[in-house]
Amino acid sequence: MHPHLHTKTNRGCEEVMTALDECHAQGFIHKLFGGCNDIKTQVNKCLRAERLERTAKNREMAKQKREKTLAIWKEIDENS
C-alpha cells in the first residue's frame, strides 16, 4: 500500500505516479497479471526517498527547536 498519490508532499514523483495511473487505466486484467508491478516499484522507491528526505528535514528542525528550548531553560535556571 502507498499513501494517496498526487499530493503536495509527493511533487517529485509526479511523472512516475502518472505512469502508474496510465498503467492502471489499461484495465484489470493488465494489473492482474503484473503489468504495473515495475512502475509500482518505482513509485514506492520514489515515495520512500521523499519520505526519508522529509523526515531528515523534520528531525533537523526538531533538533534546532530542542536546542533553543534547552538554551532558554538554561538561561532561566541561571537567572533564578
Side-chain angles (χ1 to χ4, degrees):
M1 269 321 269
H2 52 73
H4 291 287
L5 302 179
H6 305 290
T7 63
K8 62 182 173 120
T9 58
N10 299 330
R11 296 282 185 226
C13 302
E14 194 71 31
E15 286 182 26
V16 182
M17 291 185 293
T18 302
L20 182 63
D21 288 341
E22 290 171 1
C23 185
H24 284 174
Q26 291 181 6
F28 175 73
I29 300 297
H30 184 71
K31 290 189 298 185
L32 180 68
F33 288 109
C36 301
N37 287 352
D38 293 337
I39 298 171
K40 172 78 165 107
T41 301
Q42 292 174 5
V43 168
N44 288 342
K45 286 180 181 179
C46 185
L47 291 175
R48 175 176 166 72
E50 286 202 349
R51 180 179 53 81
L52 291 176
E53 181 181 321
R54 211 170 39 248
T55 56
K57 181 180 167 186
N58 288 343
R59 189 176 304 113
E60 184 60 34
M61 288 173 42
K63 183 179 177 182
Q64 291 173 358
K65 186 176 179 180
R66 177 71 178 157
E67 289 172 356
K68 182 179 175 183
T69 302
L70 290 175
I72 291 170
W73 278 109
K74 183 178 180 180
E75 182 181 329
I76 290 171
D77 287 341
E78 289 173 355
N79 294 333
S80 296

